[in-house]
Amino acid sequence: MPERHPASNWYAAADLLFSDIRIRAEGAFRIEAERPDHDEVAREDDERLPERLDVTLLELGLDGHLAGLFPGSSALFARERRVIAVETAAKPHHRITVTPRVLESSDELLVLATGRDRAAAVRAALDQGSAELQPARCALRGKWFVDAGSKAA
C-alpha cells in the first residue's frame, strides 16, 4: 500500500516513532508496496534485506496477523525467501511481507498490541496453538507492548 496510507505500518511508525528522532533513511527498511509489480519488489527486497535486522517493529492485527502473515497463509511456510508477495482476504488484498525467517533472525522483535479490540488476539497468541493458525506466535520471543485494553480478559 502507499507509504502515506493511513493503514500503512510504515506510515504509523514514521509518524509516531521516527518524527522526533534522527534516524538516517539508510537505517530503516521499507517495502515499496505501492509499486505495481509486487513480485518484482519482493525479489528486489529479498536481495537487499540484510541477513539480520537489528530491530523489527510489528503491530498485532485484530485477527492475530503480523506483517502480511495472516492465519492459514502459505507465507507462514516460506523458507527459501525472506520477502514475498502474498494475497490475503483482508484489504488490501495484494501485499508484500517478510517471512517468518526474518522474524526468527531479527535481533529484537517489538510487537505493539493496543486497545480492547486486540485482547482476543493477544490471548490467542499466548494460548497453545500453531503459528499457522496464530501467526503472532512467531513473535513470542519478542518484547510485547500492550495496554490495559489489550490485556482485558
Side-chain angles (χ1 to χ4, degrees):
M1 73 182 60
E3 174 182 355
R4 302 300 294 173
H5 189 283
S8 165
N9 290 334
W10 180 263
Y11 175 75
D15 189 48
L16 298 173
L17 299 176
F18 303 144
S19 61
D20 290 334
I21 56 177
R22 305 293 175 237
I23 295 178
R24 294 189 336 246
E26 311 83 65
F29 180 83
R30 184 181 82 80
I31 295 173
E32 296 176 343
E34 71 276 10
R35 289 177 40 198
D37 189 340
H38 285 180
D39 289 321
E40 179 182 9
V41 172
R43 281 190 301 277
E44 291 172 2
D45 286 352
D46 190 60
E47 291 176 12
R48 76 179 178 100
L49 187 70
E51 265 314 302
R52 294 184 70 83
L53 296 178
D54 295 326
V55 177
T56 301
L57 176 63
L58 303 158
E59 181 181 23
L60 179 67
L62 296 175
D63 58 359
H65 83 272
L66 295 173
L69 302 171
F70 286 81
S73 170
S74 62
L76 292 162
F77 302 99
R79 288 290 173 212
E80 290 182 24
R81 293 189 36 207
R82 297 172 298 147
V83 183
I84 59 173
V86 295
E87 290 191 32
T88 70
K91 290 184 180 181
H93 300 294
H94 305 284
R95 299 173 183 238
I96 304 168
T97 187
V98 296
T99 64
R101 188 173 147 197
V102 171
L103 304 183
E104 292 162 4
S105 67
S106 293
D107 289 337
E108 292 287 339
L109 291 175
L110 305 178
V111 181
L112 305 176
T114 60
R116 289 189 72 80
D117 54 351
R118 301 281 191 295
V122 169
R123 231 180 2 265
L126 297 176
D127 287 342
Q128 296 295 336
S130 69
E132 290 78 27
L133 297 177
Q134 290 299 326
R137 293 187 61 76
C138 292
L140 286 180
R141 72 172 180 85
K143 293 177 177 71
W144 285 58
F145 297 88
V146 298
D147 64 1
S150 62
K151 290 191 292 186

